[in-house]
């Protein structure tokens, strides 16, 4: 009798367990007619032109974006402008998330109304998940160089920047070379934006140090050694720089993208941003993509059109980032000249690693970073 | 013997040292959260607790989560435990083992493996922070079990049940109207401990990317340290009051009952 | 009774069993299977990756952190428990210490992390006071966010946990034993070393093991305190799951989680054995 019970319970348990362990069936996005059209549209023309796209997007009325901090490349303003312009409610989820979290969130909430509609991803994650994107060419697709986009429009570079050193000019002198950061004036003051084995910005920071010390995208060892030296000198603070740490003075020197560094002027009035002189700058672009299973496909496509329009690109420029269509806009005279000229001057050839180089460097970091900055 | 004056002095000194260690950071939190610019005092951070919409949403979510977790836990655990005690005593060891199992499987491990299960939950119920209820019930199981078990073993459930049954009561009545009122203090204890645990839970919420109170507190720490410290202190104070109430209520019940 | 009638009582346990299966056993099995699989195929690569220097260092630091905080928690917690036991059963002191202990032990690492940042962090109350009045900089280069800091913050919740877990054992020390030993001519010291300590030893060791498991499995405190670096196993798991630089390391996270289960299960098994020894004496 007891064994019978046991057997029954066991069978039931195993059955339920097996079911629970597998992924559930894909739910159909219940948006119906116009939703289905927008989900397969590869350009505004497919829907009947921009006006039709705007109409479809307004009908959907909502947009889910993810991992867009308000002070990152002026995203706070971009989200607000888009929402006001088209009357679409934009939900900004998990502003603090990283690129991998965006993909994970999309996978986990697939089929629900809360799934992210669009992605803004770092290079490594973007190129590793191309099967998740919808192919779409924005109106200005041809303005963008071939090396900055997927030929079918699955992903497009949206803005970029260079690794720079941001510093509170009231607390520390301007760094003239990277070795200055090892000096006593910077003791306990320098922070890297993120752990290089976890965060793209941290990774690029180490690459910047590597290039400055004679390394390259094929050799990140000098960068790791430099940070090891900095840690031993007591100059490196093992803390993520945030608004709070910058305001309190805990991290007066921050190694980060020039546009994110530029935003810190709002935290501390004496904040300045400088690229290392006489060193090839380390550049990086972010990647825009539309979720193939976006719950609001028309709104997602309208968002992309907005971002790559002159207005959107200038808004990114206002955040200190270099919009991808900058060259075309300079030629057409539509760029915000004052802000464009105010960007830090770039000397030398930008270093932008390929996927293979990034993978090799990441593997090196995975093995050696932790021990180097112990 | 034990209450020699020397011992009393030592006791007081040691208790004071412990008090400094434990209350020090709490007082520091109070000071930190009321810091204004240039040494002034301000309650702005505390006002944020009710004004900041994101924090508000998260606090409400956490409170709702604790409520749902307590209800689901009681519905799941109490009938099962009473049933096992009265009808299937052989299963006591199994039940004890299963209820204490979550102590052995860290929350971090559970969340790493629970992705597919939660995809099912999202499939049926949509994606909402309250979905966390299901896994929270598992987390509070060991503590709730211990509380209810100690209450159950302090009454003679078998005799009560037999008496009720011989008077014609059905099993529902036995469980609901005979046993439960007698283990009320244990249920209350289980409920309060569960509330404290759910309010403090961070691991699973953060790794499943839901925004409960602790996740938002951690997030706020990056932009507004004062508010997050204020929120942490408020949560600690709330849980402390809750558990203190529990010890007072539990004691009074025990003296008036059996 | 018919077969069905005899079966029914046990079937009533089914809902509970199914619930636990889905929400506890399935995730655990997923982790164990995932540790041995990659891309749907069986492989030992992730298990062997556990022997990599980075993973081993994290394990070593985790064990060290757990052991040190467990010992600190056990010793100081036992002392505190004794202090309140000697005050009487229903004293307000005992009640409030137990309540506060309940809060601090269960209530979550994030809040404790902020408590310590508010006290000895860069702009913490104590740090600022010492800096302004005595010129001493206790923040240094951020020891709070490395092992020493973690040990200090972990002690903050380990000591209360010890109080909660050890108190029943201390309650079980009957005053009659003290009286009996005095009658037989023992002095205080002899009573403690030859009667009380040996009786309390299994409970004390068991509680220490519980503290070890608790610290080893803890994630929230370290996650809130440490923003860079993955010094301990739980943080390495976090990195494996959400790193945007090292992709495809999710299965390493499974292997690390499996490692955690093994360690914690072994420790809890020993705890269970010791608990059985204790129960005999302190009934």
């Amino acid at each position: 009798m007891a064994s019978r019970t046991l057997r029954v319970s066991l069978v039931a348990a195993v059955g339920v367990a097996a079911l629970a362990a597998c992924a559930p069936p894909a739910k159909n996005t219940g948006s119906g007619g116009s939703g289905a059209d927008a989900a397969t549209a590869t350009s505004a023309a497919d829907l009947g032109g921009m006006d039709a796209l705007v109409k479809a997007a307004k009908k959907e009325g909502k947009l889910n974006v993810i991992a867009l901090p308000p002070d990152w490349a002026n995203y706070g303003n971009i989200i607000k402008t888009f929402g006001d312009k088209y009357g679409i409610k934009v939900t900004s989820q998990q502003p603090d998330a990283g690129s991998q979290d965006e993909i994970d969130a999309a996978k986990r909430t697939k089929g629900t109304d809360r799934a992210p509609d669009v992605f803004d991803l770092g290079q490594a994650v973007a190129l590793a998940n191309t099967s998740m994107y919808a192919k779409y060419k924005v109106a200005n697709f041809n303005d963008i160089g071939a090396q900055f986009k997927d030929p079918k429009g699955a992903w497009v570079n949206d803005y970029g920047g260079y690794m720079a050193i941001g510093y509170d000019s009231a607390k520390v002198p301007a760094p003239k070379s990277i070795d200055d950061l090892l000096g006593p004036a910077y003791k306990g003051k320098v922070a890297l934006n993120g752990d290089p084995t976890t965060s793209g910005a941290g990774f690029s920071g180490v690459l910047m140090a590597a290039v400055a010390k004679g390394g390259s995208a094929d050799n990140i060892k000098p960068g790791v050694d430099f940070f090891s030296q900095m840690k031993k000198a007591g100059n490196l603070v093992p803390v993520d720089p945030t608004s709070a740490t910058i305001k309190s003075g805990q991290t007066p020197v921050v190694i980060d993208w020039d546009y994110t560094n530029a935003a810190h002027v709002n935290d501390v009035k004496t904040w300045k941003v400088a690229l290392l002189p006489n060193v090839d700058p380390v550049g990086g672009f972010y990647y825009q993509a539309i979720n193939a299973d976006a719950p609001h496909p028309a709104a997602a496509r309208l968002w992309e059109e907005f971002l790559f329009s002159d207005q959107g690109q200038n808004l990114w420029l206002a955040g200190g980032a270099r919009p991808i269509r900058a060259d075309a806009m300079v030629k057409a005279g539509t760029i915000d000249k004052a802000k464009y000229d105010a960007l830090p001057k770039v000397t030398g050839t930008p270093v932008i690693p390929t996927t293979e180089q990034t993978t090799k460097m990441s593997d090196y970091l995975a093995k050696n970073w932790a021990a180097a900055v112990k | 013997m034990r209450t020699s004056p020397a011992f009393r002095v030592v006791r007081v000194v040691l208790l004071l040292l412990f008090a400094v260690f434990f209350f020090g950071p709490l007082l520091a939190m109070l000071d930190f959260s009321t810091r204004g610019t240039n040494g002034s005092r301000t309650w702005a951070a505390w006002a944020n607790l009710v004004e900041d919409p994101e924090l508000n949403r998260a606090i409400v979510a956490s409170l709702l989560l604790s409520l749902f977790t307590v209800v689901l836990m009681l519905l799941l655990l109490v009938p099962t435990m009473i049933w096992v005690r009265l009808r299937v005593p052989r299963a006591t060891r199994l039940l004890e083992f299963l209820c204490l199992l979550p102590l052995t499987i860290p929350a971090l491990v559970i969340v790493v493996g629970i992705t597919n299960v939660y995809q099912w939950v999202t499939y049926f119920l949509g994606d909402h922070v309250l979905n966390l209820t299901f896994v929270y019930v598992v987390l509070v199981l060991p503590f709730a079990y211990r509380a209810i078990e100690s209450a159950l073993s302090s009454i003679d459930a078998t005799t009560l049940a037999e008496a009720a049954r011989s008077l014609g009561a059905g099993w529902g009545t036995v469980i609901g109207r005979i046993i439960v009122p007698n283990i009320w203090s244990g249920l209350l204890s289980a409920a309060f401990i569960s509330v404290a645990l759910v309010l403090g839970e961070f691991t699973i919420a953060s790794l499943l990317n839901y925004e409960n109170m602790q996740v938002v507190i951690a997030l706020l720490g990056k932009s507004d340290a004062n508010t997050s410290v204020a929120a942490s202190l408020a949560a600690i104070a709330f849980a402390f009051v809750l558990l203190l109430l529990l010890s007072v209520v539990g004691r009074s019940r025990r003296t008036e009952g059996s | 009774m018919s077969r069905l009638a005899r079966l029914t009582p046990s079937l009533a346990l089914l809902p509970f069993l199914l619930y636990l299966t889905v929400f506890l056993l399935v995730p655990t099995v997923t982790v164990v299977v995932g540790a041995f699989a990659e891309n749907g195929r069986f492989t030992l690569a992730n298990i062997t990756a556990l022997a990599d220097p980075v993973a081993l260092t994290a394990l070593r630091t985790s064990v060290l952190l757990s052991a040190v905080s467990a010992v600190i928690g056990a010793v100081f917690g036992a002392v505190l428990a004794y202090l309140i036991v000697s005050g009487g059963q229903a004293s307000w002191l005992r009640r409030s210490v137990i309540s506060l202990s309940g809060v601090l032990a269960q209530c979550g690492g994030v809040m404790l992390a902020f408590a310590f940042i508010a006290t000895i962090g860069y702009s913490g109350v104590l740090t600022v006071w010492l800096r302004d009045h005595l010129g001493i900089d206790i923040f240094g280069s951020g020891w709070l966010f490395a092992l020493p800091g973690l040990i200090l913050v972990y002690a903050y919740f380990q000591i209360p946990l010890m109080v909660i877990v050890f108190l029943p054992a201390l309650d079980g020390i009957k005053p009659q034993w003290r009286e009996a030993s005095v009658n037989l001519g023992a002095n205080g010291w002899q009573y403690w070393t030859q009667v009380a300590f040996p009786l309390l030893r299994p409970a004390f060791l068991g509680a220490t093991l519980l503290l070890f498991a608790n610290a080893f499995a803890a994630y929230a405190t370290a996650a809130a305190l440490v923003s860079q670096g993955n010094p301990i196993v739980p943080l390495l798991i976090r990195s494996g799951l959400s790193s945007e630089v090292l992709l495809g390391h999710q299965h390493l996270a499974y292997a690390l989680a499996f490692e955690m289960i093994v360690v914690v299960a072994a420790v809890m098994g020993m705890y269970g054995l010791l608990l059985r020894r204790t129960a005999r004496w302190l009934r």
Side-chain angles (χ1 to χ4, degrees):
Chain A
M1 170 192 64
S3 63
R4 241 298 173 78
T5 323
L6 199 61
R7 259 183 279 154
V8 169
S9 336
L10 224 54
V11 167
V14 169
V16 170
L19 206 58
C22 313
K27 209 179 204 159
N28 290 328
T29 41
S31 30
S34 74
D37 281 338
T40 51
T42 54
S43 71
D46 281 0
L47 281 171
M50 269 300 281
D51 291 332
L53 175 61
V54 173
K55 196 148 149 273
K58 281 190 178 164
K59 188 149 173 271
E60 284 172 357
K62 287 201 280 195
L63 180 72
N64 296 329
V65 297
I66 186 171
L68 302 182
D71 53 0
W72 177 285
N74 202 18
Y75 260 119
N77 226 345
I78 293 177
I79 292 174
K80 186 165 182 309
T81 311
F82 178 82
D84 291 342
K85 179 169 179 178
Y86 296 108
I88 294 179
K89 181 166 180 304
V90 181
T91 311
S92 179
Q93 303 169 351
Q94 296 182 54
D96 206 47
S99 302
Q100 185 61 45
D101 298 321
E102 296 184 48
I103 300 290
D104 290 340
K107 285 191 186 145
R108 204 185 47 251
T109 52
K110 190 162 132 155
T112 69
D113 195 52
R114 275 182 22 122
D117 290 304
V118 288
F119 304 119
D120 188 18
L121 304 165
Q123 180 188 26
V125 175
L127 296 176
N129 292 287
T130 49
S131 56
M132 291 194 56
Y133 315 145
K135 298 183 180 46
Y136 184 79
K137 293 188 188 172
V138 291
N140 303 321
F141 197 67
N142 296 326
D143 278 352
I144 303 167
Q147 73 267 46
F148 298 122
K149 63 193 181 194
D150 172 74
K152 298 237 180 59
W155 54 263
V156 188
N157 285 150
D158 44 16
Y159 58 87
Y162 297 101
M163 270 324 235
I165 302 180
Y167 60 98
D168 186 347
S169 53
K171 289 207 164 73
V172 296
K176 300 264 182 321
S177 83
I178 195 147
D179 286 322
D180 283 354
L181 294 179
L182 293 172
Y186 295 88
K187 196 155 161 60
K189 293 191 161 70
V190 185
L192 183 59
N193 188 9
D195 185 297
T197 57
T198 316
S199 142
F203 174 83
S204 300
V206 179
L207 182 54
M208 174 183 91
V211 169
K213 297 289 285 180
S216 68
D218 292 311
N219 177 17
I220 200 172
K221 183 172 183 308
V224 177
D225 293 339
F226 176 79
F227 275 95
S228 181
Q229 268 182 292
M230 232 206 304
K231 184 75 176 31
K232 289 196 179 59
N235 290 14
L236 185 64
V237 185
V239 158
D240 274 356
T242 64
S243 283
T245 63
I246 287 176
K247 272 191 248 186
S248 70
Q250 187 176 2
T251 55
V253 182
V254 173
I255 299 178
D256 196 1
W257 297 115
D258 53 3
Y259 49 88
T260 29
N261 253 325
H264 291 311
V265 156
N266 300 325
D267 298 323
V268 161
K269 297 231 177 346
T270 44
W271 193 261
K272 290 200 172 41
V273 182
L275 281 110
L276 282 176
N278 303 324
V279 169
D280 286 342
V282 171
F285 291 98
Y286 268 77
Y287 290 57
Q288 275 291 324
I290 299 177
N291 187 356
D293 297 306
H296 314 102
R301 284 157 176 76
L302 185 60
W303 170 258
E304 298 297 331
E305 295 284 358
F306 176 73
L307 291 178
F308 287 98
S309 69
D310 291 338
Q311 186 182 17
Q313 297 276 292
N314 272 326
L315 279 171
W316 267 328
L317 179 59
R322 287 151 212 273
I324 198 72
R325 286 183 53 236
D327 291 338
M329 284 165 69
V330 165
K331 271 207 203 91
T334 49
I335 198 136
D336 187 335
K337 206 81 180 58
K339 295 214 175 70
Y340 191 62
D341 292 335
L343 288 174
K345 295 280 163 286
V346 176
T347 56
T349 334
V351 175
I352 303 181
T354 63
T355 318
E356 293 79 32
Q357 290 172 317
T358 308
T359 314
K360 278 213 198 77
M361 288 193 281
S362 318
D363 287 339
Y364 180 84
L365 281 176
K367 292 196 178 64
N368 298 288
W369 176 259
V373 291
K374 213 164 155 43
Chain B
M1 274 184 301
R2 263 217 240 120
T3 52
S4 67
F7 179 76
R8 261 200 230 122
V9 168
V10 168
R11 190 160 164 262
V12 168
V13 167
L14 284 177
L15 280 172
L16 273 177
L17 286 175
F18 274 112
V20 166
F21 180 67
F22 284 108
F23 283 103
L26 297 178
L27 288 174
M29 285 171 91
L30 187 59
D31 178 280
F32 191 95
S33 60
T34 51
R35 251 190 226 163
T37 45
N38 298 327
S40 61
R41 287 275 145 219
T42 167
W43 290 96
W46 287 85
N48 259 343
L49 288 180
V50 289
E51 284 167 5
D52 184 321
E54 197 184 0
L55 186 56
N56 254 348
R57 244 197 321 259
I59 292 179
V60 168
S62 275
L63 288 173
L64 281 178
L65 269 173
S66 26
L67 178 67
F68 287 174
T69 305
V70 167
V71 168
L72 186 56
M73 177 272 294
L74 289 175
L75 280 177
L76 198 62
L77 196 56
V78 175
T80 307
M81 286 177 74
I82 298 179
W83 191 257
V84 163
R85 182 165 275 263
L86 294 179
R87 296 275 272 142
V88 200
R90 227 170 338 201
T92 316
R93 288 247 94 143
L94 178 66
L95 186 64
E96 181 178 359
F97 173 73
L98 284 177
C99 284
L100 296 185
L101 204 52
L103 277 182
T104 314
I105 302 177
L108 184 58
V109 169
I110 296 179
V111 72
V112 168
I114 210 171
T115 327
N116 275 341
V117 173
Y118 259 83
Q119 277 187 326
W120 277 102
V121 174
T122 311
Y123 182 76
F124 285 123
L125 298 176
D127 180 40
H128 195 279
V129 67
L130 293 179
N131 289 355
L132 283 173
T133 309
F134 298 109
V135 70
Y136 280 179
V137 168
V138 170
L139 288 187
V140 306
L141 223 46
F143 309 97
Y145 175 81
R146 257 201 227 124
I148 300 177
E149 179 62 25
S150 64
L152 258 185
S153 16
S154 66
I155 64 170
D156 191 354
T158 332
T159 316
L160 281 172
E162 274 170 26
R165 293 276 291 163
S166 67
L167 289 171
W171 281 111
T173 317
V174 170
I175 294 184
R177 292 174 59 187
I178 310 287
I179 307 286
V180 165
N182 276 301
I183 55 170
W184 196 239
S185 68
L187 295 185
L188 219 55
S189 174
F192 280 20
I193 293 181
S194 306
V195 169
L197 207 123
V198 170
L199 286 182
E201 211 285 323
F202 172 80
T203 307
I204 296 190
S206 112
L207 288 173
L208 283 181
N209 299 123
Y210 284 114
E211 289 195 353
N212 74 351
M213 184 170 70
Q214 296 295 326
V215 170
V216 172
I217 289 179
L219 202 62
L220 268 183
K222 301 198 178 165
S223 54
D224 185 359
N226 288 17
T227 309
S228 60
V229 170
S232 305
L233 188 56
I236 292 179
F238 179 72
F240 175 62
V241 166
L242 213 60
L243 290 183
L244 198 60
L245 270 178
L246 166 69
S247 70
V248 167
V249 167
R251 203 150 295 261
S252 67
R253 276 240 152 220
R254 215 166 295 159
T255 50
E256 74 175 68
S258 60
Chain C
M1 263 198 292
S2 72
R3 266 261 187 87
L4 190 62
R6 268 182 289 163
L7 201 57
T8 320
S10 315
L11 279 182
L13 298 179
L14 216 53
F16 179 76
L17 288 175
L18 286 181
Y19 188 90
L20 265 194
T21 306
V22 169
F23 288 102
L24 180 63
L25 299 179
V26 165
T28 313
V29 169
T30 310
V31 165
V32 173
V33 167
F36 290 94
E38 179 113 38
N39 295 328
R41 271 175 290 113
F42 177 82
T43 168
L44 285 176
N46 293 304
I47 301 293
T48 48
L50 290 178
D52 280 348
V54 174
L56 270 187
T57 314
L59 180 61
R60 202 178 306 138
T61 314
S62 262
V63 168
L64 193 59
L65 170 64
S66 310
V68 174
S69 67
V71 168
I72 293 178
V75 168
F76 286 97
V79 169
L80 182 56
Y82 177 67
L83 289 176
I84 64 174
V85 153
S86 50
Q89 267 287 348
S91 71
W92 63 268
L93 174 70
R94 181 187 163 112
R95 248 183 268 153
S96 34
V97 170
I98 293 181
S99 305
L100 188 61
S101 300
V103 177
L104 295 180
Q106 328 273 27
C107 225
V110 173
M111 303 185 290
L112 298 187
F114 280 112
F116 273 85
I117 291 176
T119 316
I120 55 178
Y122 182 80
S123 2
V125 173
L126 193 59
T127 320
V128 168
W129 193 88
L130 284 175
R131 201 183 287 146
D132 291 342
H133 290 93
L134 296 177
I136 307 173
D137 179 17
I138 58 170
F139 182 72
S141 57
W143 60 269
L144 180 60
F145 308 117
L147 187 59
L150 283 176
I151 292 180
L152 181 61
V153 183
Y154 273 36
Y156 199 77
F157 66 73
Q158 293 280 60
I159 296 177
L161 184 62
M162 183 65 175
V163 169
I164 295 177
V165 173
F166 196 55
L167 208 54
L170 279 179
D171 275 342
I173 299 279
K174 302 190 180 22
Q176 292 88 328
W177 299 343
R178 181 73 188 245
E179 286 162 19
S181 75
V182 167
N183 282 345
L184 289 170
N187 62 23
W189 180 249
Q190 283 169 322
Y191 165 71
W192 279 111
T193 52
Q194 291 175 13
V195 180
F197 281 170
L199 284 173
L200 288 174
R201 192 168 30 224
F204 182 80
L205 288 178
T208 313
L209 286 176
L210 185 63
L211 259 55
F212 180 91
N214 188 46
F216 193 82
Y219 170 78
T221 315
L225 209 50
V226 178
S227 51
Q228 285 197 12
N230 307 303
I232 55 177
V233 174
L235 292 183
L236 206 51
I237 293 180
R238 169 176 75 171
S239 169
L241 291 175
S242 60
S243 168
E244 56 185 18
V245 171
L246 294 172
L247 304 182
H249 279 222
Q250 276 88 350
H251 280 278
L252 181 62
Y254 283 110
L256 287 166
F258 176 66
E259 180 183 75
M260 276 183 82
I261 299 179
V262 168
V263 172
V264 175
V267 172
M268 291 300 281
M270 287 193 276
Y271 171 68
L273 286 174
L274 278 171
L275 204 62
R276 223 148 294 210
R277 287 262 304 269
T278 318
R280 258 193 287 139
W281 280 106
L282 299 172
R283 206 156 314 247

